[in-house]
Amino acid sequence: MKIVQSDIHNCNVVEMEKNHNPAGNITVYQNGSSQPFDVKRVYYLYDVPGGSERGGHAHKELYQLILAASGSFDVILDDARNKKIIQLNRPYYGILVVPGIWREIVNFSSGAICLVLASEKYSEDDYIRDYSEFRKIKGAVDVD
Ligand code: TYD
């Protein structure tokens, strides 16, 4: 997806299959099935102090699926035209974040674990960390 054209409507909530078991449930994400991308990297945020805000950047090429493996938090998505906020609070719902979307993650509950499945390995070159640069790339016009 082209970074300039992507918009928040491309970022859908994905309901993962839940394998029920009285002794505990399992949800699986497996490469090669009908998932939006193959995973090259997994990371997770934990021990997040109350009031912390994570994210605050966009990616040029990276696709991510963000899940609340435990607890809850809010994901704010921004395409420089529109914003939406999605609360994640179940381990079997993820939000697909396509390239060219500014994201912030806020309102972490105590003990929350934010699990991120990513389409590429870590590369600092893929980040856009400056919000006005992001708006410029997206073609948004700022009125002074
Ligand atoms: P960053 O993605 O900016 O964190 P967040 O969006 O959660 O606030 O990453 C924070 C730091 O962690 C960054 O400076 C580099 C390091 N990092 C890695 O080394 N590898 C990774 O895969 C990630 C996601 C981050």
Side-chain angles (χ1 to χ4, degrees), residues 41-43 45 53-57 59 64 103 105 116 120-124 127 129:
R41 177 168 53 113
V42 174
Y43 64 91
L45 307 176
E53 302 191 351
R54 303 296 303 247
H57 61 255
H59 285 282
Q64 292 175 308
R103 90 289 315 274
I105 310 177
V116 183
E120 301 297 334
K121 290 185 179 172
Y122 174 73
S123 163
E124 188 58 36
Y127 281 75
R129 292 193 182 275

Side-chain angles (χ1 to χ4, degrees), residues 48-91:
V48 179
S52 285
E53 302 191 351
R54 303 296 303 247
H57 61 255
H59 285 282
K60 297 173 189 166
E61 302 205 346
L62 192 71
Y63 286 74
Q64 292 175 308
L65 187 72
I66 301 178
L67 302 122
S70 184
S72 65
F73 48 80
D74 297 336
V75 182
I76 305 170
L77 300 174
D78 174 357
D79 61 17
R81 288 173 294 276
N82 295 298
K83 281 189 190 193
K84 66 177 174 185
I85 303 181
I86 292 147
Q87 187 189 43
L88 291 177
N89 57 10
R90 294 281 183 274

Side-chain angles (χ1 to χ4, degrees), residues 19 31 34 55 69 80 85 94 96 100 102 107 112 136 144:
N19 195 323
N31 284 349
S34 56
I85 303 181
L96 173 68
W102 191 268
N107 288 338
K136 216 178 275 174
D144 290 327

